[in-house]
Amino acid sequence: MTTNQDMIGRDEINDLEAILSVTNTDTDAVMHAVRTDLDAIFTWDYERSRPALIKLYEKAKTSQWNVTTDLDWSTPVDQEQVALNNMAREDVKFFGDDMDLTGTPFAKWTENEWVQLAIEGQNWTLSQFMHGEQGALICTARIVETVPWIDAKYYAATQVMDEARHVEVFAKYLDDKLSGHYPINAHLRLLLDDILADNRWDMTYLGMQIMVEGLALAAFGFMHQMTTEPLLKQLLRYVMSDEARHVAFGVLSLQEYYKELSDAEMKDRQEFAFEAAVRMRDRFLQQEVWDRMGVNVKDALTLVLQDESRAMFQNILFSKIVPNCKKLGLLERNDAWLRKRFTELGVIQFEDWVDTGEEYAMLDEVAKDRAAAGA
Ligand SMILES: [Fe+2]
Ligand SMILES: [Fe+2]
């Protein structure tokens, strides 16, 4: 039997010591290489035989937008004011009001430190979005090479362009409007490395389109709904239109492929989904931010993990992943192995939320804007 130790490198999911022992040691490096042995697949079957992917591809071709011209970069951004607005919201506070901070390093914090924490948190979050988007760019370029179906190659090519735009837009926002970059979070990097080190074409989809992009779609949605900053709101709206298609691409492709897989093959996929879910939870602890704020990271995170309102917010991030895994049959196979793991993680309650295979057209804000403008 595969143990937690085999899958995620620790027995206890919430073992803080083990979580914090994962750090990047080469934060000054400009490049990072992941070695893989894989086949680039040509197909001579050009027949368009997958209507759902054809429809998605047509949609992608008409929903392209331009970072340089479709967003108003002259919008002034006052990061401190944005931080204050965010802090006024109950659901995005670092600690809920019911947390007793007496005797902790935070008891002495003034508003200055809380504002600084919110600013660093924003720099960190947008930096991780940017790094994750580069992961998506590389994974999707990989899918163009490895997927054996022509309709999927066509669609994946449009996603490569989408992801280039996403890296571009977050990098520009960080440079022009925010106050600092963070290197990639160690847990996010570990996950991207694991996805890219696997040479089975469908694993790239599962790791990226279902898990990473499923989480991104929920995270962007939350930030879009929460932020009062109009430029960020608009750019997230555009990015989400694309991400919904990307997740749909994963669902529509894997739905077909998983029907052929044996129980043992499905177990590999279930374990991979679980590993990815844990890595993504680990990354949201923002360990680098606490470090930059000069507090003891372990002390800070011990408190964060006790905070129930924060746990609820983190779970919401799985609201797209769980229904999509259900649609793919990943929850029930092998004696409901993944259902049990998701129950332990506290995220199974989302299983009957709408899956993205159905939802993507509703999220296409670019098409709505074009229609409204009569273009
Ligand atoms: Fe993206
Ligand atoms: Fe994407």
Side-chain angles (χ1 to χ4, degrees):
M1 203 188 88
T2 323
T3 63
N4 276 358
Q5 185 69 37
D6 301 329
M7 288 181 288
I8 56 171
R10 59 185 195 258
D11 292 323
E12 283 301 316
I13 291 173
N14 286 331
D15 180 346
L16 204 47
E17 203 90 38
I19 294 172
L20 295 179
S21 70
V22 178
T23 54
N24 285 342
T25 50
D26 58 347
T27 49
D28 294 329
V30 179
M31 281 195 302
H32 170 62
V34 184
R35 184 161 292 280
T36 333
D37 179 18
L38 50 82
D39 296 330
I41 302 293
F42 281 85
T43 174
W44 310 127
D45 178 4
Y46 293 97
E47 172 115 15
R48 310 293 302 278
S49 56
R50 293 179 169 82
L53 293 183
I54 294 172
K55 193 174 154 203
L56 203 57
Y57 176 56
E58 287 304 318
K59 187 126 198 95
K61 284 190 288 182
T62 54
S63 298
Q64 303 274 317
W65 50 281
N66 186 336
V67 173
T68 336
T69 54
D70 284 328
L71 292 165
D72 181 5
W73 291 99
S74 70
T75 311
V77 176
D78 177 346
Q79 208 183 358
E80 198 172 313
Q81 191 55 51
V82 172
L84 285 166
N85 294 346
N86 289 352
M87 285 162 62
R89 298 245 337 198
E90 278 304 311
D91 45 354
V92 289
K93 277 188 182 159
F94 279 95
F95 298 112
D97 286 338
D98 48 349
M99 287 286 290
D100 182 6
L101 298 175
T102 321
T104 75
F106 305 107
K108 292 197 202 80
W109 274 22
T110 63
E111 183 163 273
N112 264 347
E113 276 99 6
W114 291 110
V115 169
Q116 197 52 41
L117 176 68
I119 288 175
E120 290 299 332
Q122 203 192 18
N123 291 341
W124 182 91
T125 301
L126 274 285
S127 295
Q128 301 316 319
F129 286 169
M130 176 181 70
H131 299 309
E133 293 293 355
Q134 189 183 171
L137 173 65
I138 291 173
C139 282
T140 315
R142 160 84 60 91
I143 289 175
V144 173
E145 282 192 89
T146 55
V147 69
W149 311 328
I150 196 69
D151 289 316
K153 285 184 189 291
Y154 288 171
Y155 179 78
T158 69
Q159 188 179 335
V160 173
M161 183 57 212
D162 290 349
E163 303 302 0
R165 267 201 319 267
H166 297 176
V167 182
E168 178 194 3
V169 82
F170 286 117
K172 185 169 169 60
Y173 190 80
L174 275 157
D175 280 344
D176 292 4
K177 306 295 179 185
L178 300 190
S179 53
H181 283 232
Y182 276 80
I184 188 166
N185 169 269
H187 302 283
L188 176 60
R189 191 175 89 172
L190 204 56
L191 174 58
L192 294 176
D193 284 6
D194 280 351
I195 296 170
L196 284 165
D198 201 306
N199 62 10
R200 294 166 290 187
W201 67 263
D202 71 294
M203 289 298 208
T204 321
Y205 270 102
L206 175 60
M208 182 47 66
Q209 268 77 4
I210 302 300
M211 302 303 292
V212 176
E213 298 192 292
L215 183 131
L217 188 56
F220 295 157
F222 182 81
M223 189 177 263
H224 170 261
Q225 172 259 319
M226 174 204 66
T227 189
T228 52
E229 200 287 274
L231 174 59
L232 182 61
K233 215 178 184 60
Q234 184 67 7
L235 82 81
L236 287 170
R237 197 163 164 271
Y238 279 176
V239 172
M240 281 171 67
S241 300
D242 298 341
E243 290 311 337
R245 278 197 308 276
H246 304 168
V247 180
F249 178 46
V251 174
L252 296 170
S253 304
L254 293 184
Q255 218 179 0
E256 174 180 341
Y257 184 64
Y258 281 2
K259 286 194 187 119
E260 304 164 8
L261 296 188
S262 68
D263 284 347
E265 287 167 326
M266 280 302 267
K267 184 71 187 306
D268 276 354
R269 275 76 186 166
Q270 292 172 307
E271 288 177 0
F272 194 62
F274 170 67
E275 181 201 324
V278 173
R279 301 265 179 250
M280 292 191 296
R281 255 172 47 126
D282 294 350
R283 109 170 171 71
F284 271 92
L285 293 171
Q286 310 196 351
Q287 62 199 62
E288 300 85 359
V289 173
W290 303 105
D291 193 41
R292 198 168 287 186
M293 288 301 294
V295 292
N296 179 297
V297 179
K298 195 175 167 201
D299 291 351
L301 289 180
T302 306
L303 283 168
V304 170
L305 285 175
Q306 286 165 15
D307 183 1
E308 281 176 20
S309 53
R310 184 133 189 99
M312 257 165 55
F313 157 70
Q314 290 213 1
N315 289 347
I316 281 283
L317 295 172
F318 287 83
S319 60
K320 305 284 179 194
I321 289 174
V322 181
N324 288 330
C325 283
K326 182 172 187 168
K327 185 151 191 177
L328 294 174
L330 282 165
L331 293 187
E332 302 307 332
R333 290 285 286 271
N334 292 302
D335 199 19
W337 186 89
L338 190 61
R339 165 181 294 284
K340 289 174 196 154
R341 299 289 91 77
F342 279 172
T343 306
E344 284 162 18
L345 287 177
V347 297
I348 196 66
Q349 65 272 26
F350 302 115
E351 63 171 311
D352 293 322
W353 286 34
V354 61
D355 72 76
T356 317
E358 312 287 339
E359 186 191 33
Y360 73 89
M362 290 176 327
L363 285 169
D364 190 349
E365 301 291 350
V366 178
K368 283 183 211 160
D369 282 359
R370 296 265 152 84

